[in-house]
Amino acid sequence: MKRKIRVAGIIALAASTAMLASACTSGGDNGGSADSGKKVTMSFWHNSTTGPGKAFWAKTVKDFEASHKNVTIKIQTIQNEDLDGKLQTAMNSGNAPDIFLQRGGGKMAAMVDAGQVLDITDHISADTKAAVGDGAFKGESYKGKIYAMPVDVLPEGIYYSQDLFKAAGIDTPPASMDELNSAVSKLKSSGVAPIAVGAKDAWPAAHWYYNFALRECSEQTLSKTAETLKFDDPCWIKAGKDLEAFKQTNPFNDGFLTTAAQQGAGSSAGLVANHKAAMELMGAWDPGVIASLTPDKKPLPDLGWFPFPAISGGEGAPGSMMGGIDGYSCSAKAPVKECTEFLNYITKKDVQEAYYKAFNAIPVNKDAQGVITEPYLKSVLEAFNKAPFVSQYLDTLYGQNVGNALNTAVVDLLAGKGSPEGIIKAVDEAAAKG
């Protein structure tokens, strides 16, 4: 089976793309339709369980309902780490939510092949297409059709405390693994944990392997593996050995194997938020999570960002990035008109500006990106726009079964219970099961 193999293209701020002359959706531009009269109730699952993110979705739904008097949307918030499993169970039992967070990649492809998600290609308004652009829609496409509405851009890199770097005598962010190792040594000497990792949740630890693989493997290898699910290129073993060697420097916080990623002050994000750790490898949602965990619940003033360091001799193109695009889908049984009107609505400029303020994340609407003020987000967006290749996160790219096996095997390696070869064995076995 062919899977969506990359976040295709780069979302350039000044890009001009030919657009359709008229809206395809029956509801007009960006979900601004009149009341159809028929009462409709929809369920909506998202993963913003606290703070400004939760408040954003509550207000967005309320505002949409105010202009669509016939529509009621019932929100259910689910912790991020629980969402995929609960969603799969709901899908398989025929009780899928009408609107839900879409990860994309192999996970979305499996839903499409099972007939569980709505094709929204012909329900995207002209205003939405003009504001979002083709690159983001390609990241939510499968076999030429669009199955989710993108809402933000989520390239990955290392977020860090500039104050802790300065206190440790680190003048510039590391650009190579040698420089990262040097920074780790200096930070340990200064008395703080160099890098926070929420390995209890598996995927944050696995992202270290993803990025080593991005440096060791070529774009062609990553793409071919997405199609075949065969991890036979030597670069996959090299990535494991890179991570194994890095782990031997003891760069991670004490107890990282039992540390959660995003829940509470003791999580990996919380350690950065409270200056207990200097760095965290994470996607562009991280600033918002960190802000929710600072003592004053405000953005970390000294937060900085740099791309994953270069590795000598790797086959990956310099500057390539891990990344993703958050999107929202309608289930196959959702009310088509009302559901797709809501998806168009959440891409409106004012809604997207509010999204940025709530999540400290890069909005997908190009016009809304003008409100970004944080230097770290500007750095993320600049690197993203220059990247020669942007790969989806590997657990998304390769589907849920292989992705879960990959994440677990990486944690086993970090726990001293696995090996680079064990990672390949685990994903091969998962791929064989389908």
Side-chain angles (χ1 to χ4, degrees), residues 45-47 76 78-97 100-103 107 111 116 201 203 395-396 399-401 403-404 407:
W45 287 14
H46 67 73
N47 64 345
Q76 182 172 348
I78 300 174
Q79 177 61 37
N80 181 68
E81 284 69 31
D82 298 331
L83 181 61
D84 286 0
K86 289 187 176 182
L87 183 59
Q88 185 175 42
T89 298
M91 289 279 188
N92 293 342
S93 65
N95 295 312
F100 58 90
L101 177 66
Q102 177 60 257
R103 308 288 192 185
K107 294 179 180 180
M111 293 179 189
Q116 296 170 330
D201 295 319
W203 60 267
D395 57 348
T396 297
Q400 188 156 326
N401 290 339
N404 288 345
N407 293 350

Side-chain angles (χ1 to χ4, degrees), residues 1 3-4 91 100-118 137-143 145-149 325 327-329 392 395-400:
M1 179 181 71
R3 290 176 170 81
K4 179 64 197 167
M91 289 279 188
F100 58 90
L101 177 66
Q102 177 60 257
R103 308 288 192 185
K107 294 179 180 180
M108 185 177 76
M111 293 179 189
V112 174
D113 290 338
Q116 296 170 330
V117 63
L118 182 70
F137 283 119
K138 287 178 181 177
E140 301 288 11
S141 298
Y142 177 61
K143 296 181 178 178
K145 300 292 185 179
I146 302 169
Y147 291 93
M149 184 67 73
I325 297 172
Y328 283 84
S329 288
Q392 285 182 318
D395 57 348
T396 297
L397 181 61
Y398 299 142
Q400 188 156 326

Side-chain angles (χ1 to χ4, degrees), residues 249-282:
T249 68
N250 296 316
F252 304 133
N253 58 288
D254 289 342
F256 73 94
L257 291 169
T258 56
T259 298
Q262 301 176 120
Q263 302 172 53
S267 67
S268 56
L271 293 175
V272 175
N274 293 279
H275 282 169
K276 302 297 184 183
M279 293 179 271
E280 183 178 32
L281 174 66
M282 196 58 68

Side-chain angles (χ1 to χ4, degrees), residues 203 206-214 322 393-395 406-407:
W203 60 267
H207 279 220
W208 281 90
Y209 178 81
Y210 302 173
N211 280 273
F212 279 119
L214 184 68
M322 278 288 151
Y393 300 113
L394 299 188
D395 57 348
L406 174 59
N407 293 350

Side-chain angles (χ1 to χ4, degrees), residues 112-415:
V112 174
D113 290 338
Q116 296 170 330
V117 63
L118 182 70
D119 173 5
I120 66 170
T121 309
D122 294 333
H123 301 279
I124 300 170
S125 75
D127 283 354
T128 298
K129 289 186 177 183
V132 174
D134 283 351
F137 283 119
K138 287 178 181 177
E140 301 288 11
S141 298
Y142 177 61
K143 296 181 178 178
K145 300 292 185 179
I146 302 169
Y147 291 93
M149 184 67 73
V151 292
D152 60 17
V153 181
L154 300 170
E156 185 161 66
I158 297 177
Y159 289 90
Y160 73 101
S161 163
Q162 297 180 73
D163 289 350
L164 293 182
F165 267 42
K166 183 177 180 180
I170 304 167
D171 297 325
T172 57
S176 67
M177 284 307 300
D178 285 344
E179 291 178 4
L180 181 60
N181 287 328
S182 175
V184 164
S185 178
K186 291 179 179 179
L187 287 162
K188 283 196 286 188
S189 296
S190 74
V192 299
I195 299 169
V197 176
K200 178 182 178 181
D201 295 319
W203 60 267
H207 279 220
W208 281 90
Y209 178 81
Y210 302 173
N211 280 273
F212 279 119
L214 184 68
R215 294 289 178 257
E216 293 288 7
C217 301
S218 67
E219 175 182 348
Q220 291 72 26
T221 295
L222 291 172
S223 299
K224 181 181 177 183
T225 302
E227 296 175 5
T228 65
L229 293 182
K230 294 184 182 298
F231 294 79
D232 51 6
D233 192 286
C235 67
W236 295 110
I237 294 290
K238 289 181 180 178
K241 290 182 176 179
D242 289 341
L243 177 57
E244 193 172 45
F246 185 58
K247 194 259 181 181
Q248 296 305 314
T249 68
N250 296 316
F252 304 133
N253 58 288
D254 289 342
F256 73 94
L257 291 169
T258 56
T259 298
Q262 301 176 120
Q263 302 172 53
S267 67
S268 56
L271 293 175
V272 175
N274 293 279
H275 282 169
K276 302 297 184 183
M279 293 179 271
E280 183 178 32
L281 174 66
M282 196 58 68
W285 59 84
D286 205 30
V289 178
I290 290 171
S292 73
L293 297 171
T294 59
D296 60 4
K297 308 300 182 185
K298 294 181 180 179
L300 192 66
D302 66 318
L303 192 65
W305 179 91
F306 61 92
F308 194 85
I311 293 176
S312 178
E315 296 180 5
S320 294
M321 300 180 74
M322 278 288 151
I325 297 172
D326 265 349
Y328 283 84
S329 288
C330 296
S331 70
K333 296 180 181 180
V336 176
K337 180 177 182 294
E338 290 78 11
C339 192
T340 56
E341 283 179 357
F342 181 73
L343 296 190
N344 279 290
Y345 177 78
I346 62 178
T347 68
K348 290 179 63 177
K349 182 174 181 287
D350 59 336
V351 178
Q352 284 273 289
E353 289 175 346
Y355 184 95
Y356 151 74
K357 292 175 183 177
F359 291 98
N360 283 119
I362 300 169
V364 75
N365 182 312
K366 297 190 294 292
D367 295 329
Q369 288 173 351
V371 301
I372 294 174
T373 58
E374 293 85 354
Y376 55 82
L377 284 183
K378 289 183 177 181
S379 296
V380 172
L381 192 56
E382 181 182 5
F384 184 71
N385 287 335
K386 290 180 179 178
F389 172 59
V390 180
S391 171
Q392 285 182 318
Y393 300 113
L394 299 188
D395 57 348
T396 297
L397 181 61
Y398 299 142
Q400 188 156 326
N401 290 339
V402 172
N404 288 345
L406 174 59
N407 293 350
T408 300
V410 171
V411 173
D412 284 345
L413 181 147
L414 293 175

Side-chain angles (χ1 to χ4, degrees), residues 55-91:
F56 164 81
W57 284 119
K59 182 179 186 303
T60 298
V61 164
K62 183 178 179 181
D63 291 347
F64 180 80
E65 290 174 336
S67 61
H68 297 71
K69 300 294 186 182
N70 64 311
V71 176
T72 299
I73 299 177
K74 296 183 177 180
I75 298 174
Q76 182 172 348
T77 63
I78 300 174
Q79 177 61 37
N80 181 68
E81 284 69 31
D82 298 331
L83 181 61
D84 286 0
K86 289 187 176 182
L87 183 59
Q88 185 175 42
T89 298
M91 289 279 188

